[in-house]
Amino acid sequence: MKHALSFALAILTCTATYADTPDSKDTQPSGDASVVTQMPGLVAFWTFGEPAGQSRKSIGSEQNYPLIEVDGPINRVEGGPFSGYAANLNGKQYFKIPYAETGDLNIHGPEAQVSMFAVVNIHNLRQSRTIAGMWSEGKGANDDSGTRQYAMLMNMPTYGGPNQLVPHISSEGGVTRRADGSAFPWCADYAATRQTVPTDRWCTLGFTYDGDYIRAYINGVLDKRELDAVKDRRNDRYFTSEGPDGKDRGMNPYYHGRGIFGYDAEKHAKTKPGGGSDFTVGARYAVGSFTREATIGRFGGLAVFDRAISDAEMMKLHQAANIEALNSKESSTPPR
């Protein structure tokens, strides 16, 4: 009995010692979360440090906006910029905040501004199309029942964005309409970067909307791109002559200038019976499904602001993530 008791105490001592040991090198954050939390206009900032089975809560603002796991626990893996960990999405799961609980994330109105910043490691852009946003598209082409607001998306080739970063803004919720009211089959209002989204390595992605222009950033840099109407499949008059002063809308920056849609139950109950869009991370409702284009990859940080941050601020956020350290650590780790 005495020996059994001693053995049990030894196990407890070892367990306590192990639990109290410092984090391993792989779980030390590479970056500085305080840069994000101290930036004005922050609505929510997730660092994805919680283990699978728990909601991921935001930091740095009054509300903590818990992201709910959808379709089962989402694995946490070691290595991340702000918590030392990342959420590992498998293309079949995603996070959401129900529309009724979106609070200040429900950014909308004719004068609304928004910015988003993400630290991600994306795999398979053929499927991986969504970073995050309030973006419910409906059932497919020519379906005007969507409740789109804002979103950071990837790989939208319809209007010149194959494999690029393509942040979207919608003033209609449904399909885009020309000045005369005629409709496109889809939402056509998005910026598109010149370079493609990096895959299988850590990067930062971001966008801003200042009420006029959408701007897309890769690794902290505004990736400017001029419109080539024919090559970019944007030779419709909406793109070429319905921009500022009757000129084109550009590609990145892209001119939108009509504000952000806001769902109103009294106005939209019949035309948009699905209600307002949830805030989702890693997936969106498109072509009748949330997971048809759900993202495969790791999410190490995501921030939303209710203003258009500057070029310098976006670079500051990128530098705060220190993705060079993350990528260096992964390249030096021998395969298992």
Side-chain angles (χ1 to χ4, degrees):
M1 183 71 180
K2 182 177 179 180
H3 291 295
L5 180 60
S6 298
F7 182 72
L9 288 172
I11 291 176
L12 289 172
T13 301
C14 290
T15 302
T17 302
Y18 178 78
D20 293 338
T21 55
D23 290 341
S24 70
K25 289 183 179 180
D26 288 338
T27 58
Q28 291 294 318
S30 67
D32 183 357
S34 69
V35 174
V36 186
T37 59
Q38 294 173 12
M39 188 162 287
L42 180 67
V43 176
F45 172 39
W46 298 272
T47 64
F48 300 100
E50 297 89 344
Q54 293 187 15
S55 59
R56 275 60 165 184
K57 295 181 179 180
S58 65
I59 62 174
S61 58
E62 292 184 3
Q63 303 297 319
N64 60 30
Y65 294 108
L67 293 170
I68 301 169
E69 297 169 319
V70 180
D71 293 331
I74 296 174
N75 288 336
R76 179 184 72 171
V77 294
E78 294 183 350
F82 300 120
S83 66
Y85 295 94
N88 193 34
L89 295 175
N90 60 11
K92 300 177 182 179
Q93 300 167 290
Y94 62 100
F95 296 105
K96 76 171 184 178
I97 298 173
Y99 174 75
E101 300 171 19
T102 51
D104 289 342
L105 287 167
N106 188 359
I107 298 169
H108 64 274
E111 306 298 327
Q113 299 186 4
V114 64
S115 299
M116 189 177 293
F117 169 76
V119 189
V120 293
N121 188 322
I122 301 298
H123 178 66
N124 186 9
L125 272 176
R126 292 183 65 182
Q127 172 173 328
S128 302
R129 303 277 180 108
T130 309
I131 299 297
M134 294 186 68
W135 199 259
S136 181
E137 295 185 5
K139 297 180 180 180
N142 302 302
D143 179 7
D144 204 28
S145 67
T147 50
R148 303 168 173 91
Q149 292 182 220
Y150 64 92
M152 185 151 61
L153 307 179
M154 303 171 288
N155 188 20
M156 298 289 162
T158 305
Y159 302 110
N163 298 319
Q164 279 101 1
L165 181 64
V166 286
H168 285 52
I169 295 290
S170 176
S171 60
E172 299 96 344
V175 300
T176 293
R177 294 184 179 275
R178 302 174 184 86
D180 64 3
S182 58
F184 282 84
W186 308 96
C187 174
D189 286 314
Y190 55 87
T193 55
R194 178 179 47 82
Q195 63 179 302
T196 60
V197 174
T199 56
D200 299 309
R201 61 185 290 105
W202 286 98
C203 67
T204 70
L205 305 176
F207 87 90
T208 67
Y209 175 60
D210 63 6
D212 289 320
Y213 287 91
I214 310 170
R215 293 176 170 86
Y217 300 76
I218 295 179
N219 287 331
V221 177
L222 174 64
D223 192 26
K224 292 184 178 180
R225 178 177 170 186
E226 300 294 329
L227 175 67
D228 184 330
V230 175
K231 182 179 178 181
D232 299 333
R233 301 181 181 180
R234 297 195 184 199
N235 53 2
D236 188 278
R237 67 181 184 276
Y238 178 77
F239 300 114
T240 60
S241 60
E242 292 188 8
D245 301 319
K247 299 179 181 178
D248 70 72
R249 294 178 178 272
M251 282 292 278
N252 190 31
Y254 172 83
Y255 181 76
H256 180 257
R258 300 195 307 281
I260 301 176
F261 171 80
Y263 176 78
D264 184 323
E266 292 186 3
K267 294 180 180 179
H268 303 124
K270 292 184 179 181
T271 58
K272 300 180 184 299
S277 174
D278 298 336
F279 181 90
T280 56
V281 178
R284 71 193 190 284
Y285 187 67
V287 198
S289 170
F290 274 103
T291 56
R292 180 174 175 175
E293 297 180 346
T295 295
I296 306 171
R298 286 172 280 169
F299 281 56
L302 176 66
V304 179
F305 301 84
D306 62 4
R307 66 181 182 90
I309 65 176
S310 67
D311 289 355
E313 288 174 316
M314 188 66 78
M315 176 54 72
K316 189 175 181 180
L317 293 175
H318 165 74
Q319 292 171 339
N322 193 11
I323 60 169
E324 293 80 6
L326 288 175
N327 286 322
S328 177
K329 184 185 297 183
E330 292 195 359
S331 64
S332 62
T333 302
R336 296 179 180 179

mmCIF file of all heavy atoms in Angstrom, residues 36-45 59-61 302-307:
data_model
loop_
_atom_site.group_PDB
_atom_site.id
_atom_site.type_symbol
_atom_site.label_atom_id
_atom_site.label_comp_id
_atom_site.label_asym_id
_atom_site.label_seq_id
_atom_site.Cartn_x
_atom_site.Cartn_y
_atom_site.Cartn_z
ATOM 1 N N VAL A 36 -1.752 44.863 -32.853
ATOM 2 C CA VAL A 36 -3.115 44.763 -33.372
ATOM 3 C C VAL A 36 -4.105 45.348 -32.377
ATOM 4 O O VAL A 36 -4.977 46.151 -32.745
ATOM 5 C CB VAL A 36 -3.474 43.302 -33.684
ATOM 6 C CG1 VAL A 36 -4.841 43.232 -34.367
ATOM 7 C CG2 VAL A 36 -2.412 42.653 -34.556
ATOM 8 N N THR A 37 -3.992 44.967 -31.131
ATOM 9 C CA THR A 37 -4.979 45.392 -30.136
ATOM 10 C C THR A 37 -4.935 46.890 -29.884
ATOM 11 O O THR A 37 -5.932 47.477 -29.464
ATOM 12 C CB THR A 37 -4.771 44.648 -28.804
ATOM 13 O OG1 THR A 37 -3.456 44.897 -28.302
ATOM 14 C CG2 THR A 37 -4.981 43.152 -28.984
ATOM 15 N N GLN A 38 -3.799 47.528 -30.139
ATOM 16 C CA GLN A 38 -3.679 48.962 -29.904
ATOM 17 C C GLN A 38 -4.022 49.813 -31.121
ATOM 18 O O GLN A 38 -4.029 51.037 -31.036
ATOM 19 C CB GLN A 38 -2.256 49.293 -29.434
ATOM 20 C CG GLN A 38 -1.925 48.712 -28.063
ATOM 21 C CD GLN A 38 -0.460 48.888 -27.679
ATOM 22 O OE1 GLN A 38 0.285 49.623 -28.320
ATOM 23 N NE2 GLN A 38 -0.040 48.188 -26.632
ATOM 24 N N MET A 39 -4.332 49.180 -32.246
ATOM 25 C CA MET A 39 -4.649 49.953 -33.450
ATOM 26 C C MET A 39 -6.086 50.472 -33.371
ATOM 27 O O MET A 39 -7.016 49.717 -33.107
ATOM 28 C CB MET A 39 -4.454 49.098 -34.705
ATOM 29 C CG MET A 39 -4.578 49.890 -35.989
ATOM 30 S SD MET A 39 -3.858 49.029 -37.425
ATOM 31 C CE MET A 39 -2.088 49.204 -37.076
ATOM 32 N N PRO A 40 -6.298 51.767 -33.593
ATOM 33 C CA PRO A 40 -7.653 52.343 -33.484
ATOM 34 C C PRO A 40 -8.636 51.704 -34.461
ATOM 35 O O PRO A 40 -8.269 51.309 -35.565
ATOM 36 C CB PRO A 40 -7.423 53.817 -33.838
ATOM 37 C CG PRO A 40 -5.982 54.080 -33.515
ATOM 38 C CD PRO A 40 -5.270 52.795 -33.855
ATOM 39 N N GLY A 41 -9.876 51.615 -34.008
ATOM 40 C CA GLY A 41 -10.936 51.085 -34.861
ATOM 41 C C GLY A 41 -11.108 49.589 -34.804
ATOM 42 O O GLY A 41 -11.950 49.033 -35.523
ATOM 43 N N LEU A 42 -10.362 48.911 -33.923
ATOM 44 C CA LEU A 42 -10.466 47.454 -33.848
ATOM 45 C C LEU A 42 -11.841 47.037 -33.326
ATOM 46 O O LEU A 42 -12.293 47.503 -32.290
ATOM 47 C CB LEU A 42 -9.371 46.902 -32.923
ATOM 48 C CG LEU A 42 -9.358 45.374 -32.752
ATOM 49 C CD1 LEU A 42 -8.979 44.691 -34.058
ATOM 50 C CD2 LEU A 42 -8.391 44.974 -31.640
ATOM 51 N N VAL A 43 -12.486 46.144 -34.056
ATOM 52 C CA VAL A 43 -13.766 45.576 -33.631
ATOM 53 C C VAL A 43 -13.538 44.211 -32.993
ATOM 54 O O VAL A 43 -14.098 43.901 -31.939
ATOM 55 C CB VAL A 43 -14.736 45.444 -34.815
ATOM 56 C CG1 VAL A 43 -16.037 44.771 -34.378
ATOM 57 C CG2 VAL A 43 -15.028 46.819 -35.418
ATOM 58 N N ALA A 44 -12.716 43.376 -33.621
ATOM 59 C CA ALA A 44 -12.469 42.031 -33.110
ATOM 60 C C ALA A 44 -11.125 41.528 -33.621
ATOM 61 O O ALA A 44 -10.715 41.846 -34.745
ATOM 62 C CB ALA A 44 -13.579 41.079 -33.542
ATOM 63 N N PHE A 45 -10.462 40.717 -32.777
ATOM 64 C CA PHE A 45 -9.158 40.165 -33.134
ATOM 65 C C PHE A 45 -9.046 38.777 -32.521
ATOM 66 O O PHE A 45 -9.060 38.620 -31.307
ATOM 67 C CB PHE A 45 -8.052 41.081 -32.614
ATOM 68 C CG PHE A 45 -6.650 40.543 -32.748
ATOM 69 C CD1 PHE A 45 -6.256 39.834 -33.869
ATOM 70 C CD2 PHE A 45 -5.716 40.761 -31.734
ATOM 71 C CE1 PHE A 45 -4.965 39.341 -33.985
ATOM 72 C CE2 PHE A 45 -4.424 40.284 -31.839
ATOM 73 C CZ PHE A 45 -4.050 39.567 -32.968
ATOM 74 N N ILE A 59 -9.977 39.329 -28.800
ATOM 75 C CA ILE A 59 -9.374 40.143 -27.758
ATOM 76 C C ILE A 59 -9.216 41.568 -28.272
ATOM 77 O O ILE A 59 -9.338 41.835 -29.468
ATOM 78 C CB ILE A 59 -7.994 39.588 -27.324
ATOM 79 C CG1 ILE A 59 -7.000 39.611 -28.506
ATOM 80 C CG2 ILE A 59 -8.127 38.179 -26.775
ATOM 81 C CD1 ILE A 59 -5.583 39.218 -28.129
ATOM 82 N N GLY A 60 -8.961 42.482 -27.346
ATOM 83 C CA GLY A 60 -8.619 43.848 -27.739
ATOM 84 C C GLY A 60 -9.773 44.806 -27.851
ATOM 85 O O GLY A 60 -9.573 45.978 -28.143
ATOM 86 N N SER A 61 -11.008 44.339 -27.631
ATOM 87 C CA SER A 61 -12.169 45.219 -27.686
ATOM 88 C C SER A 61 -13.139 44.803 -26.580
ATOM 89 O O SER A 61 -12.944 43.785 -25.918
ATOM 90 C CB SER A 61 -12.856 45.152 -29.055
ATOM 91 O OG SER A 61 -13.259 43.835 -29.361
ATOM 92 N N LEU A 302 -6.771 36.935 -37.119
ATOM 93 C CA LEU A 302 -7.777 37.601 -37.941
ATOM 94 C C LEU A 302 -8.290 38.817 -37.192
ATOM 95 O O LEU A 302 -8.688 38.706 -36.031
ATOM 96 C CB LEU A 302 -8.935 36.648 -38.245
ATOM 97 C CG LEU A 302 -10.123 37.244 -39.025
ATOM 98 C CD1 LEU A 302 -9.695 37.623 -40.437
ATOM 99 C CD2 LEU A 302 -11.295 36.261 -39.058
ATOM 100 N N ALA A 303 -8.259 39.975 -37.845
ATOM 101 C CA ALA A 303 -8.721 41.213 -37.223
ATOM 102 C C ALA A 303 -9.658 41.953 -38.161
ATOM 103 O O ALA A 303 -9.462 41.952 -39.380
ATOM 104 C CB ALA A 303 -7.536 42.118 -36.867
ATOM 105 N N VAL A 304 -10.682 42.587 -37.575
ATOM 106 C CA VAL A 304 -11.637 43.408 -38.319
ATOM 107 C C VAL A 304 -11.660 44.795 -37.694
ATOM 108 O O VAL A 304 -11.709 44.936 -36.461
ATOM 109 C CB VAL A 304 -13.055 42.797 -38.291
ATOM 110 C CG1 VAL A 304 -14.041 43.699 -39.050
ATOM 111 C CG2 VAL A 304 -13.054 41.390 -38.879
ATOM 112 N N PHE A 305 -11.632 45.818 -38.539
ATOM 113 C CA PHE A 305 -11.674 47.210 -38.107
ATOM 114 C C PHE A 305 -12.872 47.897 -38.747
ATOM 115 O O PHE A 305 -13.251 47.557 -39.873
ATOM 116 C CB PHE A 305 -10.393 47.951 -38.518
ATOM 117 C CG PHE A 305 -9.128 47.349 -37.968
ATOM 118 C CD1 PHE A 305 -8.509 46.286 -38.619
ATOM 119 C CD2 PHE A 305 -8.565 47.831 -36.801
ATOM 120 C CE1 PHE A 305 -7.333 45.720 -38.115
ATOM 121 C CE2 PHE A 305 -7.391 47.283 -36.284
ATOM 122 C CZ PHE A 305 -6.789 46.225 -36.942
ATOM 123 N N ASP A 306 -13.425 48.900 -38.064
ATOM 124 C CA ASP A 306 -14.578 49.614 -38.615
ATOM 125 C C ASP A 306 -14.178 50.915 -39.298
ATOM 126 O O ASP A 306 -14.951 51.864 -39.358
ATOM 127 C CB ASP A 306 -15.626 49.876 -37.534
ATOM 128 C CG ASP A 306 -15.108 50.762 -36.407
ATOM 129 O OD1 ASP A 306 -13.967 51.248 -36.479
ATOM 130 O OD2 ASP A 306 -15.863 50.962 -35.431
ATOM 131 N N ARG A 307 -12.969 50.930 -39.823
ATOM 132 C CA ARG A 307 -12.485 52.072 -40.605
ATOM 133 C C ARG A 307 -11.486 51.548 -41.631
ATOM 134 O O ARG A 307 -11.042 50.388 -41.542
ATOM 135 C CB ARG A 307 -11.802 53.118 -39.713
ATOM 136 C CG ARG A 307 -10.521 52.636 -39.075
ATOM 137 C CD ARG A 307 -9.872 53.698 -38.171
ATOM 138 N NE ARG A 307 -8.625 53.218 -37.610
ATOM 139 C CZ ARG A 307 -7.429 53.373 -38.171
ATOM 140 N NH1 ARG A 307 -7.322 54.015 -39.342
ATOM 141 N NH2 ARG A 307 -6.334 52.913 -37.600
#
